[in-house]
């Protein structure tokens, strides 16, 4: 493909939220306690500082020198050892990947700290442009390496330990070989990236950050408005939904343009590279077979009646409704505790759950709190959603959340810290091999959530509180599995339809409603206004077809957790080996020690059955 140099963007996870208004933030901070902000000085002291300038200068000089030293010489190098062999070349490329990633991460994290600040936007854009230009000096490396005969590469790996060290990366790289273009076209794709997909990604982010939603005469952010959908008062939920629909509708034109442009841009890239299916480029990036994803999607869709349809019918009855409005989907049960959870309690909850599984895991997670690797407050202009960004092995990850003290916020914290622990452990693989494919990228995060949930559930003896907790977990799992597969099916429909021409907002809305009605079932009433709610999902924009990774990860962790519950000997050690592997092994190889095989249809059924068993438990509690 174009390059294996680390991308400079940051993937937003766990849905999308936008920072609260300042008054709400101030009130929330008082109730929540001291919320940490991250310490970006660990990367660079400032955007104008000498350290960043020195690294940019170094990156420029080293990239040019690397091209001069190795371009056109890799076939010859593959037949040598020592200083003239491939080993030093790949090692230098690895170091450059780390350096570029550190610079790009600092710019990205600065920007996402406050996307409304024009200076942050300019800094981020300028750094992205600079790194893209410098990447042009490195573009040749992966392309030229892939043109070397397999027999020559195999011999180099067998002969030279310095090359053998990078064998997993080389083998992985060569999977891109059938889809790479000749050098000038790859250069064009790289040069145009800043003014094509990246530009529309930024337009989406900045548009979302600026949106305000009017409820009872007060304009507020998306995060606050979405939070109102979890309020006990049905009238409050209805007003919030109306405000969301109204603002989404007012901005349909720009979101429709972004969606059409990015879908067309992807189709052009896929056509030039020779991908057969609209999602094949994502499957390749994930190092997962299309058949495995198809089997997952089919298993989840087949389970809709047993999972979401059944659960929402039960919930409607608990809420005293025949059918729920679409804005009632995440409404709390009457039994749900309403107290705000202070930050200190959330920290203790997650760390104790992690520590009960593995003291080492808790120690790694504790560093995020102690060393200011977390940004927690909701504030104007702050990035939407929540994410854990790995940065680079020579530095450390950072976690962003928008913490408002809801039980789901505690689970989000557990989720993102799971990513953070994974990223710390995988860092030992180096910049080129630490990046975990999305098939396993959600493993540690979902496992961290599960540990936290199980720890809380075990402490809960009150029947009503237990019911509320189980219901919330079931809803989270439905959102992670059923909803994400519905998102995946929506994306497939949009990208397929876009091949026939530009789509109107109404057409996109119809596709959205078709998958929502199928996945939610007859207990959810889909009414006017919901047809615009596709607009705020960031994954459709930043990472097309990413969403099935959540379902993949949830089902995988359900199966993995079942192995853990059965007290499999040495589970913790095997689990840490999985996390430490990063991207150095295929997911199938990493699952073998646990006796799991994702190519087996029964694997997905086993994962889905855990969700079904929690619904069974809820039903039993209801009848008791």
């Amino acid at each position: 493909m174009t390059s294996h140099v680390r991308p400079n963007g940051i993937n937003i996870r766990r849905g999308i939220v936008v920072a609260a208004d300042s008054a709400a933030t101030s009130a929330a901070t008082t109730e929540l306690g001291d919320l940490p902000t991250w310490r970006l000085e660990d990367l660079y002291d400032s955007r104008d500082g000498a350290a960043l300038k020195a690294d940019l200068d170094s990156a420029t000089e080293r990239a040019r020198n690397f091209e001069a030293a190795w371009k056109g010489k890799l076939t010859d190098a593959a037949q040598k050892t020592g200083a003239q062999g491939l080993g030093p070349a790949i090692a230098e490329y690895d170091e450059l990947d780390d350096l570029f990633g550190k610079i790009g991460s600092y710019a990205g994290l600065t920007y996402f700290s406050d996307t409304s600040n024009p200076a942050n936007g300019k800094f981020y854009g300028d750094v992205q442009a600079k790194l893209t230009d410098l990447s042009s000096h490195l573009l040749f490396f992966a392309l030229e390496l892939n043109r070397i005969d397999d027999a020559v590469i195999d011999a180099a790996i067998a002969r030279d330990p310095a090359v053998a060290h990078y064998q997993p990366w080389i083998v992985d790289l060569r999977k891109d070989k059938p889809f790479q273009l000749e050098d000038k076209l790859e250069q064009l794709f790289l040069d145009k990236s800043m003014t094509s997909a990246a530009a529309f990604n930024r337009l989406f982010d900045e548009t979302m950050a600026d949106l305000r939603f009017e409820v009872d005469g007060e304009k507020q952010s998306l995060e606050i408005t979405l939070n109102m959908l979890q309020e006990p008062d049905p009238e409050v939920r209805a007003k919030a939904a109306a405000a969301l629909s109204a603002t989404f509708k007012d901005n349909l034109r720009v979101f429709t343009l972004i969606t059409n442009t990015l879908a067309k841009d992807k189709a052009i890239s896929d056509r030039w590279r020779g991908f057969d299916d609209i999602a094949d480029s994502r499957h390749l990036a994930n190092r997962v077979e299309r058949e495995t994803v198809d089997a997952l999607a089919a298993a989840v869709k087949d389970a809709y009646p047993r999972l979401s349809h059944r659960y929402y019918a039960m919930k409607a009855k608990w809420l005293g409704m025949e059918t729920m409005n679409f804005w009632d989907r995440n409404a709390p049960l009457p039994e749900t505790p309403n107290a705000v959870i202070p930050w200190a309690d959330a920290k203790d909850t997650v760390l104790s759950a992690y520590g009960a599984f593995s003291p080492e895991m808790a120690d790694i997670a504790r560093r995020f709190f102690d060393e200011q690797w977390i940004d927690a407050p909701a504030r104007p202009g702050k990035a939407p959603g929540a994410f854990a960004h790995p940065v680079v092995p020579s530095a450390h990850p950072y976690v962003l959340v928008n913490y408002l003290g809801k039980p789901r916020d505690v689970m989000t914290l557990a989720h993102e810290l799971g990513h953070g622990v994974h990223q710390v452990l995988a860092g030992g693989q180096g910049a080129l091999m630490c990046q975990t494919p999305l098939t396993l990228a959600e493993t540690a995060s979902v496992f961290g959530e599960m540990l936290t949930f199980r720890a809380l559930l075990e402490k809960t003896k009150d029947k009503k509180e237990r019911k509320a907790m189980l219901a919330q977990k079931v809803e989270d799992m439905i959102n992670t599995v059923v909803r994400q597969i519905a998102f995946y099916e929506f994306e497939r429909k949009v990208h397929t339809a876009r091949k026939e021409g530009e789509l109107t907002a109404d057409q996109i809305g119809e596709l959205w409603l078709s998958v929502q009605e199928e996945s939610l079932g007859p207990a959810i009433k889909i009414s006017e206004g919901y047809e615009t709610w596709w607009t705020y999902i960031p994954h459709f924009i930043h990472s097309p077809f990413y969403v099935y990774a959540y379902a993949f990860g949830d089902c995988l962790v359900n199966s993995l957790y079942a192995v853990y519950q059965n007290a499999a000997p040495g589970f913790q050690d095997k689990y840490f080996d999985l996390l430490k592997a990063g991207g150095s092994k295929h997911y199938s190889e990493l699952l073998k020690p646990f006796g799991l095989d994702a190519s087996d249809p029964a694997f997905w059924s086993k994962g889905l059955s855990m969700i079904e068993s929690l619904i069974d438990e809820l039903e039993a509690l209801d009848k008791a």
Side-chain angles (χ1 to χ4, degrees):
M1 308 294 283
T2 54
S3 174
H4 267 60
V5 174
R6 179 185 306 275
N8 305 313
I10 297 175
N11 184 52
I12 305 248
R13 304 178 189 275
R14 304 287 291 168
I16 183 167
V17 288
V18 179
D21 297 321
S22 55
T25 302
S26 176
T29 301
T30 302
E31 197 170 6
L32 295 172
D34 187 18
L35 296 175
T37 56
W38 51 28
R39 179 182 165 80
L40 297 185
E41 292 87 347
D42 289 358
L43 298 176
Y44 296 102
D45 54 2
S46 72
R47 71 185 66 176
D48 301 316
L52 178 59
K53 183 180 185 304
D55 272 1
L56 280 168
D57 290 344
S58 174
T60 302
E61 181 180 5
R62 289 179 65 183
R64 290 171 177 166
N65 290 344
F66 183 83
E67 182 180 32
W70 295 106
K71 188 173 184 179
K73 302 171 185 176
L74 296 185
T75 299
D76 186 51
Q79 300 173 66
K80 297 178 180 178
T81 57
Q84 301 302 313
L86 273 182
I90 302 176
E92 173 72 3
Y93 188 71
D94 195 1
E95 291 174 9
L96 284 167
D97 188 62
D98 192 285
L99 179 58
F100 279 35
K102 181 182 177 183
I103 295 169
S105 294
Y106 177 69
L109 294 170
T110 299
Y111 171 65
F112 285 119
S113 296
D114 183 3
T115 61
S116 65
N117 184 333
N120 287 351
K122 173 178 169 48
F123 175 57
Y124 181 53
D126 287 348
V127 170
Q128 288 268 43
K130 177 68 171 177
L131 292 177
T132 299
D133 289 344
L134 292 182
S135 294
S136 67
H137 295 292
L138 309 182
L139 181 63
F140 78 92
F141 190 73
L143 302 175
E144 191 173 322
L145 199 61
N146 267 349
R147 285 197 292 267
I148 300 174
D149 288 343
D150 290 345
V152 175
I153 286 290
D154 292 342
I157 292 171
R159 180 178 59 249
D160 191 344
V163 180
H165 172 74
Y166 290 101
Q167 181 178 4
W169 177 76
I170 295 169
V171 170
D172 194 55
L173 177 69
R174 291 176 86 78
K175 292 177 182 176
D176 293 336
K177 187 175 180 177
F179 307 100
Q180 72 181 37
L181 306 173
E182 58 101 357
D183 289 14
K184 284 189 176 181
L185 281 174
E186 291 288 2
Q187 182 71 56
L188 178 62
F189 269 70
L190 178 65
D191 290 346
K192 292 284 287 180
S193 63
M194 285 295 296
T195 56
S196 54
F200 282 89
N201 272 250
R202 183 173 166 186
L203 173 62
F204 175 86
D205 289 338
E206 296 188 5
T207 301
M208 290 306 308
D210 287 342
L211 292 187
R212 290 297 178 265
F213 305 82
E214 187 170 343
V215 180
D216 289 334
E218 183 178 346
K219 292 184 178 181
Q220 54 200 22
S221 68
L222 178 59
E223 179 179 7
I224 298 300
T225 314
L226 286 174
N227 243 16
M228 293 172 71
L229 298 178
Q230 299 178 44
E231 289 295 323
D233 188 343
E235 187 176 342
V236 171
R237 297 196 299 269
K239 288 180 179 179
L244 290 162
S245 296
T247 299
F248 294 155
K249 185 176 181 179
D250 288 344
N251 291 273
L252 266 180
R253 185 176 180 181
V254 66
F255 290 122
T256 301
L257 172 62
I258 292 170
T259 299
N260 272 292
T261 302
L262 290 176
K264 184 63 176 179
D265 183 77
K266 185 180 184 304
I268 292 170
S269 177
D270 286 353
R271 174 166 51 83
W272 276 90
R273 296 194 180 282
F275 288 110
D276 293 330
D277 183 79
I278 51 177
D280 275 353
S281 59
R282 173 61 61 196
H283 302 333
L284 177 66
N286 289 352
R287 299 311 190 234
V288 64
E289 301 74 24
R290 187 200 304 172
E291 294 75 17
T292 300
V293 178
D294 290 347
L296 164 64
V300 174
K301 290 176 70 176
D302 185 61
Y304 284 172
R306 306 194 307 274
L307 301 179
S308 51
H309 296 187
R310 177 187 173 202
Y311 173 75
Y312 289 136
M314 292 166 58
K315 184 172 183 177
K317 182 183 70 173
W318 296 334
L319 294 178
M321 304 175 180
E322 187 173 335
T323 57
M324 291 188 291
N325 296 299
F326 69 82
W327 56 80
D328 296 320
R329 187 172 55 82
N330 288 320
L333 300 187
E335 298 90 342
T336 303
N338 228 0
V340 169
I341 302 168
W343 177 256
D345 291 353
K347 171 185 173 181
D348 290 345
T349 295
V350 176
L351 291 181
S352 63
Y354 277 27
F357 172 74
S358 164
E360 182 184 354
M361 187 170 168
D363 288 344
I364 295 172
R366 189 174 289 107
R367 294 186 66 191
F368 283 79
F369 296 95
D370 295 347
E371 300 181 36
Q372 290 181 258
W373 298 355
I374 303 177
D375 194 297
R379 59 177 179 269
K382 182 179 172 180
F387 60 72
H389 183 53
V391 187
V392 289
S394 65
H396 59 75
Y398 283 93
V399 161
L400 178 145
V401 294
N402 283 278
Y403 189 80
L404 292 175
K406 297 284 188 181
R408 278 195 172 96
D409 294 334
V410 179
M411 290 299 158
T412 297
L413 178 62
H415 180 101
E416 300 306 339
L417 283 173
H419 280 303
V421 169
H422 193 174
Q423 291 159 359
V424 169
L425 290 171
Q429 295 290 342
L432 293 180
M433 295 187 290
C434 71
Q435 301 175 62
T436 308
L438 296 185
T439 43
L440 289 175
E442 296 300 330
T443 302
S445 54
V446 178
F447 194 81
E449 277 190 84
M450 183 65 78
L451 289 172
T452 304
F453 165 71
R454 290 292 181 182
L456 289 172
L457 188 66
E458 194 173 318
K459 295 177 183 177
T460 304
K461 305 303 178 185
D462 181 83
K463 177 185 170 183
K464 289 184 176 180
E465 286 189 18
R466 186 177 180 87
K467 177 183 174 182
M469 190 175 296
L470 279 167
Q472 183 168 293
K473 182 59 178 173
V474 167
E475 287 179 20
D476 286 345
M477 295 174 93
I478 287 174
N479 286 338
T480 303
V481 177
V482 171
R483 185 165 169 80
Q484 301 305 322
I485 290 301
F487 283 176
Y488 175 65
E489 294 299 321
F490 168 69
E491 286 188 279
R492 291 197 63 87
K493 289 189 175 189
V494 168
H495 284 258
T496 300
R498 180 65 179 90
K499 290 182 177 182
E500 304 302 318
E502 191 160 311
L503 301 175
T504 66
D506 288 344
Q507 288 174 314
I508 299 174
E510 288 170 6
L511 297 176
W512 170 257
L513 292 181
S514 70
V515 299
Q516 292 300 306
E517 288 167 350
E518 179 186 17
S519 63
L520 297 176
I524 301 288
K525 181 182 177 183
I526 306 293
S527 53
E528 185 177 355
Y530 193 54
E531 70 279 357
T532 64
W533 284 44
W534 56 270
T535 55
Y536 81 97
I537 309 298
H539 305 82
F540 301 156
I541 306 303
H542 294 292
S543 304
F545 302 108
Y546 175 96
V547 287
Y548 72 72
Y550 287 116
F552 194 109
D554 197 275
C555 288
L556 187 155
V557 166
N558 289 344
S559 297
L560 201 61
Y561 199 84
V563 176
Y564 170 57
Q565 282 183 311
N566 291 331
F571 180 91
Q572 283 89 341
D573 290 339
K574 293 175 185 176
Y575 180 69
F576 268 69
D577 287 343
L578 182 152
L579 301 187
K580 289 176 181 177
S584 67
K585 295 181 180 179
H586 192 264
Y587 71 89
S588 59
E589 185 180 353
L590 291 170
L591 292 180
K592 277 181 183 177
F594 303 97
L596 299 175
D597 180 5
S599 66
D600 183 354
F603 174 85
W604 303 115
S605 299
K606 185 176 182 180
L608 295 170
S609 68
M610 179 174 283
I611 307 175
E612 199 168 354
S613 69
L614 292 178
I615 298 175
D616 289 341
E617 188 174 347
L618 271 171
E619 195 169 47
L621 275 174
D622 201 36
K623 292 177 180 178

